[in-house]
Amino acid sequence: MKPENLSFEEAATIPAGGLTALKNLQKANISKGQKILINGASGSLGTFAIQLAKYFGVEVTAVCSEKNFELVKSIGADKVIDYTKEDFTKINEKYDIVYDAVMKSTKAKCKRILKENGIFFKNSQLPKTEEKDLLFLKDIIENGEMKPVIDRIYSIEQIVEAHEYVDKGHKKGNVVIKID
Ligand SMILES: NC(=O)c1ccc[n+]([C@@H]2O[C@H](COP(=O)([O-])OP(=O)(O)OC[C@H]3O[C@@H](n4cnc5c(N)ncnc54)[C@H](OP(=O)(O)O)[C@@H]3O)[C@@H](O)[C@H]2O)c1
């Protein structure tokens, strides 16, 4: 089941961030030609969502801080907004979907930038793991259309340190715990 072109550490991110991003986007009926804004685009869900949205043929605006612009562009973001300098809810654009991956905004705040039937959503709980979804993700990964972004890999002995790092809320992509 592991994608052949991923290490075990990389593959471990797929049933969490990868699957959650996929199920969220599917629930929002993402479809070719749409425009999506992803808030928290440099986190685990954000980096998966950018790549999935591009796979589905959607224009992506990524909201993250400037230090992550290069990262999000390298995985497909078409436009970038630095949340430390600009309030994305005040821009003159309209989106089909606003995905608040970092869970810092609200539907009411995003109303101005949503098209008439636009959809705003935050993260669901970790979705039920279904084989068909994992096989879909495996397929697009093996076709080179998605790759997990790994920030740090910690050993199981460093799990407290790992949680402290993640809890700061500034990781780039995914943090993995390696169990030998
Ligand atoms: N990962 C999963 O599998 C999963 C599954 C379900 C739910 N969740 C929940 O979903 C949320 C996001 O998790 P995550 O793992 O994707 O990311 P995360 O670890 O929360 O990382 C957030 C990323 O967003 C950026 N960020 C921080 N504050 C921001 C703000 N105000 N506006 C825009 N960007 C901001 C950070 O970059 P800067 O350094 O630039 O600030 C960082 O790269 C968390 O609440 C988590 O509990 C996660």
Side-chain angles (χ1 to χ4, degrees):
M1 178 63 95
K2 179 178 87 59
E4 283 179 11
N5 54 344
L6 292 193
S7 65
F8 283 100
E9 290 82 359
E10 288 171 323
T13 67
I14 304 301
L19 190 65
T20 307
L22 174 67
K23 297 305 273 184
N24 282 332
L25 293 175
Q26 285 176 336
K27 233 193 280 174
N29 288 322
I30 192 164
S31 54
K32 195 173 166 154
Q34 289 185 323
K35 280 170 65 176
I36 188 171
L37 179 141
I38 301 169
N39 186 33
S42 49
S44 170
L45 297 167
T47 52
F48 281 120
I50 291 172
Q51 297 177 81
L52 286 165
K54 293 313 296 177
Y55 172 81
F56 290 119
V58 169
E59 183 189 297
V60 176
T61 297
V63 182
C64 58
S65 65
E66 195 174 350
K67 66 174 188 292
N68 291 317
F69 279 3
E70 210 173 301
L71 165 69
V72 297
K73 283 182 187 166
S74 74
I75 54 173
D78 300 287
K79 296 179 184 168
V80 285
I81 295 174
D82 182 349
Y83 74 87
T84 67
K85 296 192 180 136
E86 192 175 2
D87 180 349
F88 71 85
T89 65
K90 305 252 157 62
I91 62 172
N92 286 322
E93 289 277 347
K94 299 265 186 212
Y95 295 92
D96 300 282
I97 304 174
V98 173
Y99 179 12
D100 183 18
V102 79
M103 313 224 273
K104 303 269 189 193
S105 194
T106 61
K107 187 176 182 179
K109 281 188 194 161
C110 293
K111 202 164 176 238
R112 271 195 75 247
I113 60 162
L114 280 170
K115 289 185 183 173
E116 201 179 323
N117 293 316
I119 293 174
F120 169 91
F121 66 93
K122 293 172 183 263
N123 294 312
S124 52
Q125 298 285 317
L126 272 183
K128 193 171 148 234
T129 305
E130 287 187 79
E131 190 179 358
K132 68 172 173 40
D133 296 320
L134 292 177
L135 289 172
F136 170 79
L137 292 169
K138 178 180 189 293
D139 206 38
I140 64 172
I141 289 166
E142 288 180 347
N143 286 337
E145 286 163 301
M146 191 172 92
K147 191 170 171 41
V149 173
I150 306 287
D151 184 342
R152 297 185 183 179
I153 299 175
Y154 290 93
S155 68
I156 188 75
E157 290 76 24
Q158 296 170 302
I159 195 155
V160 172
E161 205 182 310
H163 273 282
E164 284 169 355
Y165 179 60
V166 169
D167 288 349
K168 286 183 185 147
H170 297 290
K171 69 179 161 61
K172 295 172 199 287
N174 300 274
V175 164
V176 178
I177 305 295
K178 186 174 179 178
I179 303 171
D180 284 322

